[in-house]
Amino acid sequence: MIMVRSRTNGTRHGKRQWKWMKILLMVVLLVPTVSFLSENDAQAAAPNRPFPQQVDYPGIIKPAHVTQSDMNRSVSAYYDYWKSKYLKHDLKSLPGGFYVKGNITGDPDGFKALGSSEGQGYGMIIAALMAGHDPEAQTIYNGLFKTARAYKSSGNPNLMGWIVADDVRAQGHFGSATDGDLDIAYSLILAHYQWGSDGEIHYLNEARKMINEGIKASYVTNQRRVNLGDWDSKNALNTRPSDWMLSHFRAFHEVTGDPVWIEVIDNLYQVYNQFSSRYSSATGLISDFVVEDPPKPAPEYYLDEFKETNQYYYNASRFPLRIVMDYAFYGDPRGKAVADKLANWIKSKSGNKPANVKNGYKMDGTPIGDYATAVFVSPLIAAGTANGAHQTWVNAGWDWMKNKKEDYFSDTYNLLCMLYLSGNWWIPSGQAPEPVENLALNKPAFASSIEGTGFEAGKAFDGNLVSRWASNEGTDPEWIYVDLGSTRSVSGVKLKWEDAYAIQFKIQVSSDAGGTPVHWTDAATISNGDGGEDEITFTPQNARYVRMYGIQRGTPYGYSLYEFEVYGEN
C-alpha cells in the first residue's frame, strides 16, 4: 500500500492540494511495484525479437494439451514472479548494478555472498529473451552487464569473478567459474540480435572480446575440453558436463568464425559417448564432474563441493537441457540420441510421472535423492521434446513445471526450461535451419573389413552415435560404402569419426547397375584429415553408391565411423 500524507494551511488551499494529491495517488498506484526504469530508458532500443517468439523447431515437440497463448501466459507469469523475487539492484558499492540474488556453494572468503556469476548469466539470458513482455528488459540487461564487468575475475579480467558481494573489495577478488561466463557471453550475442549494438554497449564487440580473450584463452583446453575456471590448467582433463553448452559454442563459432568451437563440440560428444558406454549405458546419465582420459566420474567431494560429485547430482542435472538444445537449434543428431536415451530412461524410472523424479541418481539409475525439484525434473522434460513418442511426458511435465516455485536455483533453471519448451528461446543468429534428409540412414552398407562382431558396416548408417563401424586394425586401404537404393543427386557427406580416423581418404561415388559396384569416381579427396566431424561438399554427382575410401590412418588402429551421412536431392 502507498500512503500519501499532506499538511495544509487553510481550507481552500487544502482542498486544492488534496485534489492534486488524489490525482498523484492515482498515477502512483498505476506504476508497478517492481520497477527499474530510469531517466535514460526513453532511449532504450525497441526489441527486434519481442516476446513471445513462439518458434517451432523441426523435429521438436511442445506441450500439446495447451495452446501457444496459454504457454506464453504461463511463461510471462513465471517471469514476473521470478523477477520480483530474485532480481535486485541494491548494491551500495555499485549504483546501477543489477544481480540475481541466490545461494551459493563454496567459500565466499569472508564476504557475504549475494549471488554468483552463474546467476548473472542466467539473468542476462532471461532478460534478453523477455524483452517485449518487460519494457525494462534492456535496463535490466545493461545493469546485469555492468555488474558482470565490475566484478571481474582475479585471473582473467575479461571474465567474471564467481561471487557478487556488496563490497568494492569483492570486485576483482574472486576467480571465475566457467558456466557463468559461457552464459554471459552467449547473452551478449542474444542482446545484439535483440537490441542491436548501436547503443551504450556494443554487445557484439563485447561478446567477441569475451569469447576470444576470456573463454577461449582460459577455458578451452589443449585437448578441446572446457575446464572449470580461469584458475584451472589448459592441460586439465577435468570438466563439468553442465558447462557443455553446445548450442552456445555454435553461436560463438558463428560470431567469431573460429573453428575451435566445432572442435570442442565434437570432442565433448566423444567424451560423453566414451563415458556413457562404460558407466551409464542403460541410463545416459553423467556425473557432476568428469575427470581423466578415458573419462570417468570424479571422486566424491571433488573440489570440496559435496559428496555426490561422482553422481548425477545438482550440477549434472542441468545437462539434458544443454544437450537437447543442440539438436533443437542446430539439428545435430548426436544431441537427439543423448536426449532420447535420457528421456526413455527417466520415463521408465518415474512411471511417466514427473513428480516421481528424484533429486539425484547413481550412474545406473539408482536414486540417491528423495524428492522432485525443478532443476532435476525440468531439464528431463526438455529432453523429451526431441521425440514425438514422449508427448505425454512433455505434457505432464509442463503442468508440473508452470506452477512450481522453490528457490533461486530451481526456479531460475525452471524458467529457462519453460522458455525453451514454449519456443521462446530463439537462435541468436537466425531461424532454425531447414532439416535435410540423410539419404544413407538405415540403408544397406558394406565394408572391406570389420574389427569384429558389433562393428558391422551398418552401424555407421543407423543414426546412433553410440554404435560404430570399425575396420581391421593396422591395415590400409580400407573402405565402407552405402547403397542408396536408387540413383540420386549427391552433393555432400558428413563423417563422424571415432578416435580411429583417416588422414588421407577419398569420397567416391558409383552409379553401376546391379548389386556390386565396380566403377568408382572420385568426388572429393582429403589429405589432411584430423578426425572429429568432417562435412564435405562437392559438385553434385548422380550416384547410387557412396564410399569412404581410407588411404592413410591417423592412428595405429583401424578406421572407425560413428556415422556416415549422405546428402543431396531426394
Side-chain angles (χ1 to χ4, degrees):
M1 178 181 291
I2 300 175
M3 299 183 66
V4 179
R5 292 187 177 183
S6 173
R7 174 174 290 180
T8 62
N9 295 316
T11 303
R12 293 179 64 187
H13 180 71
K15 287 182 178 178
R16 188 183 302 117
Q17 183 158 335
W18 176 239
K19 176 182 178 181
W20 285 109
M21 292 304 293
K22 286 194 292 183
I23 294 172
L24 175 62
L25 177 62
M26 292 175 64
V27 171
V28 170
L29 287 172
L30 292 173
V31 179
T33 57
V34 179
S35 180
F36 306 126
L37 287 171
S38 69
E39 295 177 359
N40 296 325
D41 285 300
Q43 302 173 5
N48 295 311
R49 298 184 181 179
F51 179 92
Q53 287 291 291
Q54 52 197 44
V55 180
D56 292 313
Y57 290 110
I60 295 294
I61 62 172
K62 293 179 179 179
H65 64 307
V66 292
T67 67
Q68 180 68 58
S69 295
D70 287 335
M71 285 188 282
N72 297 340
R73 282 191 290 269
S74 293
V75 173
S76 297
Y78 202 95
Y79 168 78
D80 292 343
Y81 149 77
W82 175 88
K83 175 184 174 182
S84 67
K85 186 171 182 179
Y86 303 113
L87 193 60
K88 306 297 179 184
H89 68 137
D90 55 4
L91 294 171
K92 294 182 176 61
S93 57
L94 188 67
F98 284 66
Y99 65 98
V100 176
K101 185 173 179 61
N103 50 301
I104 67 160
T105 59
D107 181 8
D109 200 18
F111 291 93
K112 181 181 178 182
L114 300 175
S116 65
S117 60
E118 166 201 276
Q120 211 72 7
Y122 294 157
M124 292 171 76
I125 289 174
I126 290 167
L129 296 178
M130 292 306 299
H133 167 72
D134 189 345
E136 301 172 325
Q138 191 174 18
T139 297
I140 293 166
Y141 184 90
N142 290 353
L144 290 166
F145 180 71
K146 180 177 183 176
T147 302
R149 280 293 166 265
Y151 287 78
K152 59 183 178 292
S153 172
S154 59
N156 183 332
N158 297 293
L159 303 171
M160 182 179 174
W162 75 284
I163 288 286
V164 176
D166 197 2
D167 192 322
V168 292
R169 296 174 301 165
Q171 299 174 18
H173 178 82
F174 292 94
S176 69
T178 303
D179 56 348
D181 288 308
L182 296 179
D183 277 334
I184 291 168
Y186 176 80
S187 81
L188 285 162
I189 304 173
L190 288 173
H192 167 72
Y193 283 98
Q194 185 64 279
W195 297 296
S197 290
D198 298 327
E200 81 178 79
I201 301 171
H202 197 295
Y203 301 119
L204 188 57
N205 284 350
E206 293 287 351
R208 287 171 174 157
K209 182 178 180 181
M210 190 172 183
I211 293 164
N212 293 327
E213 299 176 30
I215 295 169
K216 180 182 177 181
S218 292
Y219 296 154
V220 177
T221 70
N222 298 331
Q223 294 78 20
R224 297 301 187 252
R225 296 189 187 187
V226 285
N227 64 24
L228 305 177
D230 60 5
W231 43 268
D232 208 352
S233 167
K234 291 284 280 187
N235 290 317
L237 292 170
N238 49 302
T239 184
R240 184 191 294 108
S242 57
D243 297 344
W244 299 358
M245 305 178 193
L246 307 180
S247 59
H248 286 25
F249 299 155
R250 294 194 195 275
F252 294 173
H253 174 252
E254 289 177 349
V255 300
T256 65
D258 191 339
V260 72
W261 299 111
I262 304 303
E263 296 169 11
V264 170
I265 291 167
D266 290 339
N267 184 59
L268 292 177
Y269 272 122
Q270 287 193 22
V271 172
Y272 172 83
N273 288 335
Q274 292 168 346
F275 180 100
S276 182
S277 64
R278 183 172 180 183
Y279 297 103
S280 59
S281 59
T283 65
L285 297 173
I286 198 161
S287 55
D288 268 15
F289 294 90
V290 171
V291 298
E292 299 186 15
D293 189 16
K296 67 179 186 179
E300 293 180 347
Y301 296 107
Y302 190 64
L303 299 179
D304 296 324
E305 282 227 355
F306 32 72
K307 180 180 179 181
E308 297 84 359
T309 46
N310 62 334
Q311 307 294 358
Y312 183 78
Y313 209 52
Y314 277 87
N315 279 304
S317 65
R318 299 171 286 179
F319 172 75
L321 176 65
R322 302 302 191 183
I323 205 79
V324 74
M325 286 177 65
D326 193 39
Y327 173 63
F329 287 13
Y330 296 98
D332 196 313
R334 294 174 292 185
K336 174 178 170 54
V338 179
D340 282 348
K341 193 171 189 179
L342 288 164
N344 285 327
W345 165 75
I346 194 59
K347 284 170 58 182
S348 174
K349 190 70 178 179
S350 66
N352 219 22
K353 295 179 180 179
N356 289 341
V357 175
K358 305 303 180 187
N359 59 323
Y361 293 91
K362 295 181 180 180
M363 293 300 96
D364 65 2
T366 302
I368 56 176
D370 55 9
Y371 68 95
T373 181
V375 77
F376 281 84
V377 178
S378 302
L380 288 167
I381 301 301
T385 63
N387 194 319
H390 305 318
Q391 188 68 69
T392 300
W393 172 251
V394 172
N395 291 353
W398 179 260
D399 289 342
W400 187 93
M401 293 164 62
K402 66 183 182 180
N403 297 313
K404 190 68 173 177
K405 296 176 181 177
E406 301 173 83
D407 56 23
Y408 144 74
F409 191 48
S410 284
D411 289 353
T412 305
Y413 218 72
N414 194 34
L415 177 54
L416 290 169
C417 290
M418 290 177 69
L419 284 161
Y420 164 74
L421 281 163
S422 64
N424 286 303
W425 191 327
W426 35 269
I427 302 172
S429 59
Q431 297 303 311
E434 289 295 322
V436 181
E437 182 184 358
N438 172 15
L439 302 178
L441 184 64
N442 294 320
K443 295 297 197 307
F446 307 86
S448 53
S449 69
I450 62 171
E451 182 181 326
T453 302
F455 299 98
E456 295 82 6
K459 301 293 186 182
F461 303 95
D462 62 2
N464 186 338
L465 285 160
V466 175
S467 63
R468 59 188 174 91
W469 163 71
S471 71
N472 284 337
E473 293 190 355
T475 62
D476 289 314
E478 297 281 358
W479 47 259
I480 179 172
Y481 74 82
V482 62
D483 180 355
L484 301 179
S486 61
T487 300
R488 306 289 187 90
S489 177
V490 175
S491 57
V493 300
K494 282 186 182 179
L495 302 177
K496 298 177 180 179
W497 296 98
E498 197 253 348
D499 290 342
Y501 64 93
I503 293 177
Q504 294 185 37
F505 62 96
K506 293 180 178 182
I507 301 301
Q508 300 177 316
V509 296
S510 174
S511 56
D512 285 357
T516 304
V518 175
H519 304 95
W520 294 94
T521 300
D522 294 347
T525 300
I526 307 299
S527 59
N528 59 349
D530 58 1
E533 180 175 318
D534 290 322
E535 186 168 352
I536 302 164
T537 58
F538 43 81
T539 303
Q541 309 273 337
N542 290 328
R544 173 172 172 172
Y545 306 96
V546 183
R547 178 166 76 169
M548 188 289 296
Y549 188 84
I551 300 169
Q552 179 184 347
R553 290 164 289 115
T555 70
Y557 309 107
Y559 297 88
S560 185
L561 284 166
Y562 285 116
E563 282 297 299
F564 181 168
E565 301 173 1
V566 178
Y567 294 96
E569 295 181 8
N570 275 324

